[in-house]
Amino acid sequence: MPPKLNIRPFQAADRAAVIALWQACDLTRPWNDPDSDIAFCMSKPDSTILVGEQDGKIVASVMTGHDGHRGWLYYLAVEPSIQKSGFGRAMVAAAEAWLQARGVPKVMLMVRPENERVRAFYDALGYTEEPRVIFSRRLDGK
Ligand SMILES: CC(C)(COP(=O)(O)OP(=O)(O)OC[C@H]1O[C@@H](n2cnc3c(N)ncnc32)[C@H](O)[C@@H]1OP(=O)(O)O)[C@@H](O)C(=O)NCCC(=O)NCCS
């Protein structure tokens, strides 16, 4: 049986470990500063980061929150050496429970087109692909 995962809210001392995890899972991009993403998320009441810990080490994460209509998942990550042990599923379930506790009726997420392999994971969790096109515009002048 794989070691248990202790899922809890992010704390300030987790910052470096969480960013290292996101880098190991290839989730960081030059246009998204992880420090600012963490600070912004954790400063608002409608969003949070949950971390998964094993023996005091951060091995999983998920950012979640809602916009008053839908819930969203971001930065879902499981340390590469322990993937396929059920921890990704556990992190998504924890984020869903966080959203459900706040009355959010539907959860959504975006998958980058090059991340083909993650589709099977979301399929296994009962997520369905919705044919939508996403438009965006930066509001921060970057
Ligand atoms: C996506 C990710 C979080 C999945 O975590 P994980 O711990 O490996 O997933 P789990 O072990 O909980 O898998 C849950 C189910 O998905 C399936 N699954 C997971 N990865 C899969 C893959 N690459 N191909 C096929 N099925 C997969 C598992 O077989 C399992 O199905 P089962 O319960 O019916 O056996 C992990 O692969 C990861 O961190 N990837 C890099 C970062 C990333 O892409 N994040 C998502 C951005 S949208």
Side-chain angles (χ1 to χ4, degrees):
M1 201 162 90
K4 211 173 144 348
L5 193 67
N6 173 36
I7 301 177
R8 60 162 176 82
F10 173 94
Q11 295 164 3
D14 302 328
R15 196 187 56 80
V18 165
I19 293 174
L21 174 68
W22 291 354
Q23 285 165 343
C25 288
D26 193 28
L27 290 178
T28 53
R29 290 296 179 272
W31 53 90
N32 293 330
D33 172 29
D35 271 312
S36 320
D37 285 356
I38 291 171
F40 190 68
C41 173
M42 293 308 298
S43 69
K44 307 290 169 198
D46 294 329
S47 54
T48 194
I49 298 170
L50 303 175
V51 297
E53 218 179 25
Q54 267 182 349
D55 298 327
K57 182 175 182 262
I58 304 247
V59 294
S61 74
V62 64
M63 178 186 282
T64 192
H66 71 87
D67 52 24
H69 183 56
R70 300 297 185 223
W72 288 89
L73 303 182
Y74 298 96
Y75 287 116
L76 173 67
V78 172
E79 157 72 34
S81 65
I82 56 162
Q83 288 178 4
K84 301 251 181 90
S85 306
F87 298 141
R89 183 189 283 280
M91 294 308 293
V92 170
E96 288 175 349
W98 192 94
L99 292 167
Q100 279 177 313
R102 288 155 183 82
V104 180
K106 185 176 182 184
V107 59
M108 329 253 293
L109 59 99
M110 293 179 277
V111 173
R112 294 193 178 107
E114 68 272 20
N115 197 356
E116 261 303 314
R117 69 186 196 111
V118 84
R119 285 166 178 258
F121 166 76
Y122 289 117
D123 275 349
L125 269 60
Y127 280 64
T128 52
E129 187 176 334
E130 296 200 23
R132 302 285 186 274
V133 175
I134 296 168
F135 285 78
S136 74
R137 194 167 87 82
R138 291 217 70 117
L139 300 175
D140 57 4
K142 283 185 186 166

